[in-house]
Every structure is written in C-alpha cells, then in structure tokens.
Amino acid sequence: EAKNRGRGTYAAYRREMRGRLEERALLERDLQFALGRGEITVSYQPMFDASSSRVLCYEALMRWTHPIRGSVSPADFIPIAEENLLIDELGGWLLYTSCAEAVKWPAHVKLAVNVSRLQLINNGFFATVVEALSLSGLSPDRLVLELTESAVLEMDDDLQDLVKRLNAIGVSFALDDFGSGYSSLNYIEKMRFSMIKIDPKFAQSSAEGSANSQAVVSAVVSMAKSLDMVVAAEGIEAGEQADAMRELGCTCLQGYHFAKPSAFVSPDRAASPNRRQVA
Ligand code: C2E
Ligand code: MG
Ligand code: MG
Ligand code: MG
C-alpha cells in the first residue's frame, strides 16, 4: 500500500516536471520573437535622495508582455534568455533604448541598468556599452551598471580588466541585492562600486526593530562611507522602513512606497508616498 502511494507520488512528480519543462520550452520559443514583435518594453523605477527627496537615478527594468500569458516577470525570462544567448540581444537593446531615454532627463539624473554575469563575460560587452553611449549621446558618467553578488563572485582577470576599462571611460557600478547571498568583502575590495543596494529584507527587519539587522546596516554604511560608496535601500514598502533606513545612514531610497516601476518618467518630481502608479 505504501509502495503504491509512493508510486503515485512519483508519477505526479513526473507529470509536474514534464509540465514545467514544456512550459519553459514554450516560453523559450516565444522569447526568440518577443523583441521583434514589440513585446519587450522598459519600465523605470526612481531612486530618491533620502534627505532632499529628489530623484537621483532611474533603474531600467525589462518587461515582457506575452500576447496570451500577459506580463512575464524578468525573474522568469532573464534566466531563459541567459541560456539561449538571447540575453545579449535583449540586454543590448535595453542598454541602447534606456540610454536614448535618459539623455532627455536633467543631467544630474543617472540611469541604472541591470547586467547579468553572462552579459558581462561576453567579449562584445564593452563594445555594446560604448555603442549605446555614443549612439544615444548619453554621457558615460550618467550610466551605472547594477551587478549582483553572484555576477562578481568569481572575479577573474578578464572581468577585472573589463571593469577597469568601463571605469576608465566613466561608467560606474552598483552592487545589487547586497546581503541576499554570499556577501563577500573580497569583491568589494577588488571592484570599485560607487553604490551598494541593500537587500529589501534588511529594511523590513530593521523597521521591525531587529537590533542585529540594524547593526549590519550600520556597519555596511560606515564601510561604504570610507570607500566613498553611496548606500541605497531598495524594496522600501512602508514609511517605517524608509525612516529606519534613513536613520541608519542610507542616503538613497527606492521602493513601491515611493514609486513603482513605470513606463513614464518624471525626473523633476520629489519622492512622496506612493500615489498608486501603474506598474
Ligand atoms: P532588481 O534589479 O533587484 O530589481 C528590483 C526588483 O524589485 C524589480 O522587480 C522591482 O520591480 C521590484 N521592486 C521594486 N520596489 C519594490 C518594492 O517596494 N517591493 C517589492 N516587493 N518589489 C519591488 P522586477 O522588475 O520584476 O525585476 C526582477 C529582477 O530581474 C531584477 O531585480 C533584476 O535582477 C532582473 N532584471 C530586470 N530587468 C533586467 C534587465 O534588463 N537585465 C537583467 N540582466 N536583469 C534584469
Ligand atoms: Mg537592480
Ligand atoms: Mg535589487
Ligand atoms: Mg527596488
């Protein structure tokens, strides 16, 4: 009897796995054509100066509106794109499109673009960035590339060289989702990040009064200050979280509490608690 149940569970598991693989294969097929069919767009989410409440930067976030499935999260389609080398095409398009948008903003407002490890280690990446900047006319010092910890976990000579060349033309780097994975001081020492974005879980727990979380944030802030890095708190969903992170020394705030990602930008406006924008 137990044996039969086990077999039933295994069959269900097989069915589910097959379902997921088919699902993925379908998404993969459709993703090949998504850009050409105009289904890929860019949303922009502002990052605000914690004291003046002015917009410092917009983060470009890729959006895929599938004709049948509707909105597909980048968390789901970026990994698929990475496996199929589509990431270079999509990433290159996003870089160029967002740079062309950013030249229209006031000159003090920067553009942040997420870059995955596979894009970074591709030989053509430096040329893609240079091309996006020159075609759009965006000044390189307005472009910030956001990398996650996992993207820089293995820092080989090629990667270090690429980072140096990008730094040399004025492009800067932000460390995204800091504290979500294998935070290491190794690459902070090796890379010159201009910004650290602290993972949303620290804003949550700090606002809830976790002394441990507050101590970690304070330590990150003081390290960042001495290395001349801006500390941003991301994923701020409530006023108490904004207050907590501001008090702990974060000078840049981002999250649904202030503004959701949007196809439309208004760089002149200051942060105010979210007025239910369309994502
Ligand atoms: P990320 O770079 O850490 O971006 C932040 C994500 O959190 C975004 O989700 C954003 O919409 C969401 N978010 C912002 N504020 C809040 C908040 O207050 N609460 C909550 N719950 N979420 C908030 P999104 O747009 O779905 O992107 C997910 C991830 O996909 C990004 O994480 C980034 O790693 C990746 N991604 C997005 N666009 C691109 C891209 O163009 N290229 C690459 N390589 N990766 C991208
Ligand atoms: Mg990001
Ligand atoms: Mg992040
Ligand atoms: Mg955010």
Side-chain angles (χ1 to χ4, degrees):
E1 221 226 339
K3 214 171 164 188
N4 276 338
R5 220 184 300 139
R7 221 176 278 150
T9 310
Y10 180 65
Y13 168 79
R14 289 267 311 259
R15 264 199 306 280
E16 179 172 343
M17 280 310 285
R18 203 180 317 125
R20 274 198 222 158
L21 288 173
E22 279 165 12
E23 175 86 6
R24 200 185 159 93
L26 288 174
L27 272 187
E28 190 179 321
R29 183 201 61 193
D30 293 345
L31 190 56
Q32 319 263 345
F33 305 105
L35 196 56
R37 290 176 179 161
E39 295 165 7
I40 306 284
T41 55
V42 190
S43 272
Y44 298 90
Q45 187 180 28
M47 298 165 62
F48 295 95
D49 182 280
S51 54
S52 73
S53 294
R54 295 181 63 197
V55 176
L56 294 174
C57 180
Y58 277 97
E59 177 177 7
L61 295 157
M62 222 185 285
R63 293 289 173 262
W64 180 17
T65 310
H66 187 281
I68 297 159
R69 292 158 197 262
S71 160
V72 183
S73 166
D76 292 327
F77 74 80
I78 296 282
I80 296 177
E82 287 186 326
E83 275 180 19
N84 297 281
L85 305 172
L86 272 170
I87 192 66
D88 288 326
E89 194 186 336
L90 289 171
W93 175 86
L94 180 105
L95 254 178
Y96 173 67
T97 305
S98 57
C99 285
E101 189 62 34
V103 276
K104 303 177 202 160
W105 308 337
H108 68 275
V109 178
K110 296 189 178 189
L111 166 71
V113 173
N114 296 287
V115 177
S116 59
R117 180 177 176 90
L118 278 172
Q119 280 174 276
L120 210 59
I121 62 177
N122 182 308
N123 282 330
F125 187 71
F126 183 78
T128 302
V129 173
V130 168
E131 191 174 73
L133 290 169
S134 59
L135 286 175
S136 64
L138 188 75
S139 170
D141 59 11
R142 293 177 62 192
L143 179 62
V144 182
L145 301 177
E146 292 196 2
L147 308 177
T148 58
E149 298 169 325
S150 57
V152 287
L153 207 53
E154 284 167 59
M155 266 296 228
D156 55 18
D157 290 348
D158 287 349
L159 194 51
Q160 250 179 295
D161 180 59
L162 171 71
V163 167
K164 264 195 206 134
R165 286 158 72 206
L166 287 165
N167 272 326
I169 63 168
V171 173
S172 55
F173 291 88
L175 182 53
D176 204 355
D177 303 343
F178 184 72
S180 67
Y182 311 86
S183 305
S184 155
L185 300 180
N186 184 42
Y187 51 73
I188 292 186
E189 190 260 342
K190 278 195 183 131
M191 291 261 319
R192 271 170 290 168
F193 287 106
S194 61
M195 176 185 275
I196 289 192
K197 298 181 80 169
I198 299 187
D199 192 76
K201 71 180 178 211
F202 288 97
Q204 280 164 29
S205 47
S206 294
E208 283 162 9
S210 158
N212 280 358
S213 173
Q214 293 167 356
V216 171
V217 174
S218 293
V220 171
V221 166
S222 65
M223 172 192 72
K225 270 194 190 140
S226 48
L227 291 168
D228 221 10
M229 297 186 288
V230 170
V231 182
E234 67 171 329
I236 301 287
E237 293 185 348
E240 305 82 68
Q241 293 174 4
D243 295 342
M245 296 307 268
R246 197 186 286 114
E247 271 161 37
L248 289 166
C250 297
T251 56
C252 182
L253 304 173
Q254 182 186 38
Y256 292 173
H257 174 65
F258 300 109
K260 289 194 166 179
S262 160
F264 306 101
V265 299
S266 44
D268 294 319
R269 82 182 179 79
S272 58
N274 193 18
R275 297 163 295 185
R276 296 255 160 249
Q277 300 178 2
V278 186

